[in-house]
Amino acid sequence: MAKKTMRSEVPVELTWNLNDLFETKEAWEKELAAVQADLPTVTQYKGRLGEGARVLLDCLNAQEELYRRVILVATYAQLKQTEDGTNPENQGNSARTGAVLATVEAGLTFVDSEILALPDGTIDQYLKEEKGLEDFRKNLEELMEKKPHQLSPETEETLAALGQVLSSPYMTYEMSKSSDMDFPSFKDEQGNDLPLTFALFEDRYELSANTAVRRNSYEAFTKTLNQYKNTFAATYSTEIKKQVVLARQRKYESVTHMLLQPHQVTLEMYNNQLDIIQNELAPHMRRFAELKKRVLGLDKMMFCDLKAPLDSEFNPTTTYEEASETILKSLEVMGPEYHSVMKKALTERWVDLAENVGKATGAFCSSPYGVHPYILITWTDMMRGAFILTHELGHAGHFYYAGGNQRLVNTRPSLYFIEAPSTINELLLSQHLLKTTDDTRMKRWLLLQSLGTYYHNFVTHLLEGELQRRVYTLAEAGKPITASTLSEQKRELLENFWGDTVEIDEGAALTWMRQPHYYMGLYPYTYSAGLTASTAVAELIKEEGQPAVDRWIEVLKAGGTMRPLDLMKHAGVDMSTPDPIRKAVSYVGELVDQLERSYQ
């Protein structure tokens, strides 16, 4: 059986370079203490924001500078924890950082509270009097929209001081997932023992062309999940209760209204994403599942078979270096400036690609302001990894541009937009590879990868969003959220989507245990919104060429200076209507049509 690699055994070239954040651990330790000690650089303005526009500007500038330093400290601790969650030092430093962040957040709550307590019209007057406040205009206007939901300054400070406690459900979930869950080995069809971890299942075995490996690993994986379901349910239930209480205390109509406010979208837009895709995409995905069952010669289509490669004997591999070269070629259409950023990311250790014990599963991009982004991925030499990598590079390019062109306060757009820059990279990679191959089997495989992108965003994450919509409704009605409730709801929504084409077993019903997104507000549905937008922009780039590219780069550089609808309108897409959603769903249907025709 293959030996599991410890972090200390990983070659340095396969890891990210955290020295770009802090040259030494001691330097990080020093700054961690310093940011807390320098809290008075902002709190000196407490009780004074009504004195005038200049005082407010000085306070906001000081707050921004402290946040810039906090971000670097917090990012370093987070990246160390995700590279090896079993390391006691990383665990301790993560906890220490969380405590400092809670102290800082509590100390800074007065800023919002005092601004909201100013007499009506004061902020408008300040903006007229002090030109320096213009950089903060959008943030101030968005803050004023929260005025009806603001609690007393004392309560807001207490909630901020409890930040570490209030974020404990997410911390508990991540710690349990990365450090406590011990998966048994499983046997392949020859009786060989194969190692199993969260990352190996989701990044390799679930995508395996070998049905025995896929199903046996799934059985061992879900049996282990089942042993933790009550603990995970209690953890998630705590998160749900927290949000319900906060929504009621802040006098929001519902949790959904509260969590949607920072997205800057309407309830109708949120429901459109969930309803239209579930109702109109399901028939296409059922056809896809039926095709896969027939072509692979499966006795039945199990939930764990959905990600199997359609051509069971064709699952291309690639090295990280080869994938990097292919990705760079696919992004040449975005122009030399964007291309050079991507090359830096791939060659200057922005990426951590090793597989080791304790490493966080999945993939993400962390983008600390003032330093380059960092990407976590577990590289397994499968071509599918190139799509995951270019997705995260899309995030990296977005925030590299935003950070280089905007002040910290204006770098981040609404979550509703956040997945558009990442998914457009996936579409461009797929289109590039389809154009550069004449191999029928490769073209089929690439169509499958495109469908994999839509499956990930329009099925996996969208159905997470549907589960959130259901459980918040149940919780607000006073229903207890237990492991049984979560599994029943997940099973039902999966059965509604897949009908009788896919066997939804008990393991599938436990899918709610596999993603951390449930602890991130209403993040899951935004994947579908981002892909809806990127599908439209990719089509515009194909039709218009350079003008569409130029608009897109301008949108990336705009960061958070515009609301998501305005960002997309600048790119040439109107997301206020259902049309882009329906066009994206139709595009998925066309992909399924092409696959079906290739087997006639």
Side-chain angles (χ1 to χ4, degrees):
M1 186 171 72
K3 178 180 177 289
K4 295 180 181 179
T5 306
M6 306 304 293
R7 183 68 182 184
S8 60
E9 300 170 326
V10 174
V12 67
E13 63 269 18
L14 302 183
T15 66
W16 45 31
N17 184 10
L18 299 188
N19 289 346
D20 292 341
L21 282 168
F22 292 95
E23 290 189 5
T24 63
K25 186 185 71 174
E26 290 71 27
W28 172 80
E29 292 269 5
K30 183 178 179 181
E31 181 66 351
L32 178 66
V35 293
Q36 186 168 0
D38 289 345
L39 185 57
T41 61
V42 186
T43 57
Q44 63 176 310
Y45 298 100
K46 190 171 185 179
R48 298 180 53 202
L49 299 190
E51 292 179 10
R54 183 67 201 186
V55 173
L56 176 60
L57 177 60
D58 290 344
C59 177
L60 294 179
N61 281 330
Q63 182 188 43
E64 182 186 45
E65 172 58 19
L66 188 63
Y67 273 142
R68 182 192 65 77
R69 296 168 61 195
V70 166
I71 286 169
L72 298 183
V73 167
T75 299
Y76 183 88
Q78 181 223 2
L79 297 184
K80 293 294 287 185
Q81 174 69 6
T82 55
E83 73 182 27
D84 184 5
T86 64
N87 185 312
E89 182 178 8
N90 293 346
Q91 294 173 6
N93 288 341
S94 179
R96 289 170 58 208
T97 304
V100 170
L101 292 182
T103 300
V104 171
E105 285 295 328
L108 299 184
T109 56
F110 80 91
V111 179
D112 287 359
S113 295
E114 288 191 27
I115 291 172
L116 289 169
L118 293 172
D120 291 345
T122 302
I123 291 299
D124 290 336
Q125 186 60 36
Y126 280 2
L127 285 165
K128 292 176 183 176
E129 294 174 2
E130 178 55 68
K131 290 183 179 179
L133 284 172
E134 192 61 34
D135 286 342
F136 298 94
R137 175 183 288 276
K138 181 170 178 285
N139 290 274
L140 288 169
E141 290 175 347
E142 290 169 5
L143 177 60
M144 298 310 292
E145 292 174 2
K146 297 180 181 179
K147 192 166 186 175
H149 309 289
Q150 188 77 356
L151 303 175
S152 71
E154 295 79 14
T155 303
E156 293 291 352
E157 185 171 349
T158 300
L159 286 173
L162 289 170
Q164 195 173 11
V165 175
L166 294 174
S167 65
S168 63
Y170 171 70
M171 298 287 288
T172 301
Y173 170 82
E174 281 294 314
M175 186 68 71
S176 184
K177 182 178 172 182
S178 66
S179 303
D180 291 342
M181 299 187 84
D182 187 20
F183 295 92
S185 60
F186 68 95
K187 295 187 182 297
D188 62 16
E189 71 275 23
Q190 278 90 36
N192 300 312
D193 283 328
L194 296 179
L196 181 62
T197 65
F198 227 111
L200 282 173
F201 176 74
E202 293 194 334
D203 298 333
R204 180 177 297 178
Y205 301 137
E206 190 175 32
L207 311 175
S208 174
N210 187 303
T211 301
V213 167
R214 206 168 53 244
R215 292 182 176 180
N216 291 349
S217 64
Y218 175 75
E219 182 180 5
F221 179 76
T222 54
K223 277 186 177 178
T224 302
L225 288 184
N226 191 60
Q227 295 170 9
Y228 290 83
K229 65 181 180 183
N230 292 314
T231 298
F232 276 47
T235 303
Y236 183 35
S237 177
T238 302
E239 173 70 17
I240 293 166
K241 290 172 184 174
K242 176 188 78 177
Q243 300 294 1
V244 170
V245 170
L246 287 173
R248 287 175 178 166
Q249 291 298 311
R250 294 190 181 281
K251 296 180 172 56
Y252 281 94
E253 188 176 334
S254 69
V255 172
T256 301
H257 284 81
M258 179 181 75
L259 296 180
L260 275 183
Q261 186 174 47
H263 293 193
Q264 301 166 350
V265 299
T266 64
L267 187 64
E268 180 184 18
M269 290 168 63
Y270 166 73
N271 286 326
N272 278 345
Q273 287 292 142
L274 292 171
D275 294 336
I276 293 173
I277 293 177
Q278 284 187 89
N279 295 332
E280 299 184 19
L281 182 68
H284 298 310
M285 297 309 295
R286 291 175 189 177
R287 284 194 294 125
F288 177 49
E290 288 169 350
L291 175 66
K292 187 169 288 191
K293 177 186 174 184
R294 174 173 63 82
V295 173
L296 297 184
L298 300 175
D299 54 334
K300 56 186 176 181
M301 174 56 71
M302 296 180 64
F303 184 75
C304 62
D305 295 323
L306 284 168
K307 293 185 180 180
L310 188 56
D311 186 340
S312 59
E313 296 180 354
F314 188 79
N315 192 14
T317 59
T318 185
T319 66
Y320 177 77
E321 292 73 22
E322 291 167 343
S324 297
E325 183 178 346
T326 302
I327 289 169
L328 290 174
K329 286 185 179 298
S330 75
L331 295 176
E332 286 179 353
V333 68
M334 298 290 280
E337 183 185 30
Y338 187 88
H339 187 270
S340 67
V341 175
M342 297 294 98
K343 188 172 183 179
K344 285 170 66 72
L346 290 165
T347 59
E348 297 184 10
R349 289 182 60 202
W350 294 15
V351 183
D352 194 280
L353 57 140
E355 155 69 17
N356 60 261
V357 173
K359 184 173 178 177
T361 61
F364 67 76
C365 177
S366 178
S367 303
Y369 187 81
V371 181
H372 62 74
Y374 286 91
I375 293 171
L376 178 139
I377 186 173
T378 301
W379 190 260
T380 57
D381 280 343
M382 307 305 292
M383 180 65 95
R384 175 61 193 162
F387 286 84
I388 299 170
L389 178 58
T390 200
H391 175 102
E392 300 304 334
L393 284 168
H395 286 306
H398 180 199
F399 289 113
Y400 186 85
Y401 269 136
N405 289 274
Q406 305 296 336
R407 293 182 59 157
L408 172 59
V409 293
N410 290 322
T411 53
R412 294 196 168 264
S414 152
L415 275 178
Y416 185 82
F417 175 80
I418 218 79
E419 293 299 336
S422 55
T423 51
I424 197 170
N425 273 21
E426 291 187 65
L427 295 173
L428 293 175
L429 176 59
S430 178
Q431 291 170 7
H432 166 75
L433 290 170
L434 281 167
K435 283 191 299 186
T436 55
T437 182
D438 293 321
D439 188 294
T440 301
R441 297 178 81 185
M442 187 64 179
K443 285 191 173 185
R444 283 176 176 169
W445 185 86
L446 288 168
L447 288 170
L448 182 65
Q449 298 320 296
S450 291
L451 281 166
T453 296
Y454 285 95
Y455 179 93
H456 184 71
N457 295 277
F458 276 16
V459 181
T460 299
H461 291 317
L462 188 94
L463 295 183
E464 289 172 3
E466 173 61 21
L467 182 66
Q468 285 186 306
R469 184 163 67 169
R470 288 174 174 226
V471 296
Y472 279 128
T473 299
L474 290 171
E476 288 176 319
K479 305 293 184 184
I481 306 301
T482 64
S484 177
T485 302
L486 291 166
S487 294
E488 287 172 4
Q489 291 296 321
K490 190 66 179 181
R491 184 166 192 158
E492 182 181 284
L493 67 88
L494 286 171
E495 288 173 342
N496 289 346
F497 186 83
W498 291 107
D500 59 5
T501 60
V502 179
E503 181 179 293
I504 305 301
D505 55 24
E506 291 186 11
L510 294 173
T511 308
W512 59 269
M513 297 178 63
R514 292 172 55 177
Q515 287 285 356
H517 297 138
Y518 298 114
Y519 301 88
M520 302 175 184
L522 295 181
Y523 188 18
Y525 92 96
T526 65
Y527 278 90
S528 68
L531 183 54
T532 297
S534 62
T535 301
V537 173
E539 187 62 28
L540 289 175
I541 290 174
K542 190 185 300 182
E543 293 172 358
E544 301 178 22
Q546 196 61 43
V549 170
D550 291 343
R551 291 197 306 269
W552 186 242
I553 297 298
E554 288 169 4
V555 164
L556 299 183
K557 290 180 177 179
T561 57
M562 291 188 277
R563 291 173 179 260
L565 284 181
D566 295 328
L567 284 169
M568 291 315 306
K569 283 181 180 177
H570 188 83
V573 181
D574 186 359
M575 291 290 288
S576 67
T577 73
D579 290 347
I581 306 174
R582 290 203 159 95
K583 286 180 180 177
V585 168
S586 177
Y587 177 70
V588 178
E590 291 171 10
L591 293 175
V592 177
D593 289 343
Q594 291 179 55
L595 277 173
E596 288 181 328
R597 285 195 298 270
S598 75
Y599 281 100
Q600 289 176 353

